[in-house]
């Protein structure tokens, strides 16, 4: 199995188990699965795949612009947020990147391979303590920013699930600005706690970059769809490093439907509240600390 997103296809081949019988616990996806609205849209959109997708993803950008109340020119869409992580690092070429540990493994890989001489010396680790429930200390992280020109912050963090409050992230972002260090905040799971997003802060901070994913909340991991919000001073520079047509027609249309599907969003929150209570009560009965 791989470190990120269990490779059920390789596992199926090696152990002779059909893919449909494998449950992948390494991937945190909405338990409701794909919504009915997206299913209908995908079936109805098959007739459009004969042609190239919109290279600028304009309709999707406009929907995201309205959702977050930001200008569409600040948004770049990609083939999942992982593509965008590598894109940002490739374009900005940091000499030293700060990365919490543990966190999403692709940050480290992206920073290391962005240099001709691949070496871990380009990465500085901010170790998270099990004794402190893997919490990220804003003050400690600010101190660790010194000497770095790029830093990653996954919020909520993957795989620990710990969440920094919005004002804590803004504090870190303000310090990153003072130090001229690009802060990339990965909000792949922020749809589950939208009130803590810092997307609107991007317009105030030329060193703040926010990543988002539609694959977790909307169960589109196999379709691949993500986006990143940049300060306008950076957006054009980054786009010049991006490969064309990485967001296919079905992904673009599914993204638009997902963003506007309020009933699915509400049902997701109801389900999570119910199942969270079930787990908490079960752990209490087992007396698991």
């Amino acid at each position: 199995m791989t470190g990120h997103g269990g490779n059920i296809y390789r596992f199926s081949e090696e152990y002779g188990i059909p893919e449909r019988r494998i449950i992948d616990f390494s991937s945190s996806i909405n338990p409701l699965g794909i919504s009915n609205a997206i299913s209908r849209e995908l079936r109805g959109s098959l007739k459009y795949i004969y042609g190239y997708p919109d290279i600028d993803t304009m309709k999707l950008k406009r929907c995201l612009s309205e959702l977050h109340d930001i200008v569409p020119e600040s948004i770049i869409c990609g083939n999942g947020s992982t593509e965008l992580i590598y894109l940002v690092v490739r374009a900005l070429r940091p000499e030293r990147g700060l990365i919490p540990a543990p966190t999403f493994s692709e940050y480290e890989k992206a920073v290391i391979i962005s240099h001709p001489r691949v070496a871990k010396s380009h990465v500085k680790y901010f170790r998270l303590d099990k004794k402190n429930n893997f919490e990220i200390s804003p003050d400690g992280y600010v101190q660790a920013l010194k000497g770095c020109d790029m830093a990653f912050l996954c919020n909520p963090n993957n795989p620990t699930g710990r969440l920094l409050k919005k004002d804590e992230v803004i504090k870190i972002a303000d310090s990153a600005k003072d130090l001229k260090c690009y802060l990339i905040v990965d909000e792949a799971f922020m749809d589950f706690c939208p009130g803590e997003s810092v997307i609107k802060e991007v317009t105030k901070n030329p060193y703040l970059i926010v990543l988002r994913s539609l694959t977790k909340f909307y169960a589109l991991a196999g379709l691949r769809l993500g986006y990143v919000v940049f300060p306008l001073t950076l957006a054009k520079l980054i786009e010049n490093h991006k490969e064309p047509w990485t967001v296919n027609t079905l992904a673009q249309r599914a993204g638009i439907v997902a963003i506007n599907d309020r009933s699915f969003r509400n049902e997701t929150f109801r389900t999570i509240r119910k199942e969270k209570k079930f787990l908490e009560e079960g752990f209490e009965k087992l007396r698991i600390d």
Side-chain angles (χ1 to χ4, degrees):
M1 306 297 276
T2 60
H4 162 233
N7 192 335
I8 64 171
Y9 311 102
R10 184 186 303 165
F11 186 85
S12 175
E13 288 285 334
E14 290 180 359
Y15 293 93
I17 301 174
E19 295 165 11
R20 66 180 181 278
R21 293 182 57 193
I22 299 172
I23 300 175
D24 182 6
F25 286 99
S26 74
S27 186
S28 306
I29 307 296
N30 191 324
L32 294 180
I34 187 172
S35 75
N36 292 331
I38 292 177
S39 293
R40 288 193 298 270
E41 180 64 28
L42 292 178
R43 287 194 297 270
S45 297
L46 291 175
K47 59 181 175 290
Y48 298 115
I49 63 174
Y50 71 91
Y52 281 93
D54 175 11
I55 194 171
D56 297 314
T57 62
M58 281 311 303
K59 290 182 180 179
L60 177 56
K61 284 182 181 179
R62 290 191 190 105
C63 283
L64 292 169
S65 170
E66 293 176 6
L67 175 68
H68 298 300
D69 192 24
I70 55 178
V71 295
E73 292 79 12
S74 67
I75 304 169
I76 294 178
C77 299
N79 188 251
S81 58
T82 300
E83 181 209 357
L84 299 169
I85 291 168
Y86 283 83
L87 170 65
V88 172
V89 173
R90 186 169 67 246
L92 298 180
R93 291 290 300 278
E95 281 302 313
R96 200 167 194 216
L98 177 64
I99 299 174
T103 195
F104 187 43
S105 60
E106 301 299 333
Y107 310 145
E108 177 189 47
K109 294 178 185 177
V111 171
I112 291 174
I113 69 172
S114 68
H115 293 271
R117 296 182 63 183
V118 175
K120 284 199 173 185
S121 61
H122 296 293
V123 177
K124 178 181 179 180
Y125 299 97
F126 184 79
R127 306 285 179 182
L128 305 181
D129 192 348
K130 180 181 178 181
K131 295 178 182 178
N132 194 34
N133 293 322
F134 299 104
E135 295 279 3
I136 294 177
S137 163
D139 290 333
Y141 205 73
V142 165
Q143 288 299 314
L145 287 172
K146 297 174 181 177
C148 297
D149 50 355
M150 180 177 286
F152 287 89
L153 198 60
C154 188
N155 194 43
N157 190 30
N158 178 15
T160 66
R162 309 308 296 175
L163 173 71
L164 282 171
K165 294 296 185 181
K166 181 177 178 179
D167 60 340
E168 294 176 315
V169 179
I170 292 174
K171 177 181 179 179
I172 295 172
D174 287 343
S175 296
K177 176 183 175 181
D178 293 338
L179 294 167
K180 293 181 168 52
C181 173
Y182 290 109
L183 178 67
I184 302 172
V185 181
D186 185 350
E187 296 186 342
F189 292 92
M190 192 56 77
D191 284 298
F192 294 97
C193 41
E196 303 301 335
S197 175
V198 294
I199 275 187
K200 289 188 179 181
E201 299 300 315
V202 172
T203 59
K204 309 171 188 175
N205 189 333
Y207 285 87
L208 177 60
I209 298 167
V210 177
L211 279 162
R212 293 293 289 264
S213 171
L214 277 81
T215 64
K216 310 297 185 183
F217 191 89
Y218 296 102
L220 298 174
L223 198 59
R224 314 303 303 136
L225 184 59
Y227 58 101
V228 59
V229 179
F230 293 99
L232 287 175
T233 51
L234 274 182
K236 193 62 180 177
L237 168 67
I238 303 295
E239 194 148 20
N240 288 338
H241 287 79
K242 187 180 183 300
E243 297 87 349
W245 300 301
T246 62
V247 187
N248 67 70
T249 297
L250 296 182
Q252 292 188 40
R253 298 180 75 92
I256 292 169
V257 171
I259 292 165
N260 292 301
D261 195 347
R262 292 185 179 180
S263 61
F264 179 79
R265 189 157 52 246
N266 293 337
E267 179 60 23
T268 294
F269 286 126
R270 282 194 296 268
T271 299
I272 289 175
R273 281 193 293 267
K274 176 183 175 184
E275 296 304 321
K276 180 175 181 286
K277 182 180 179 182
F278 172 79
L279 283 173
E280 289 173 343
E281 291 175 349
F283 287 145
E284 182 63 31
K285 290 177 182 177
L286 293 172
R287 296 187 179 182
I288 296 178
D289 295 328

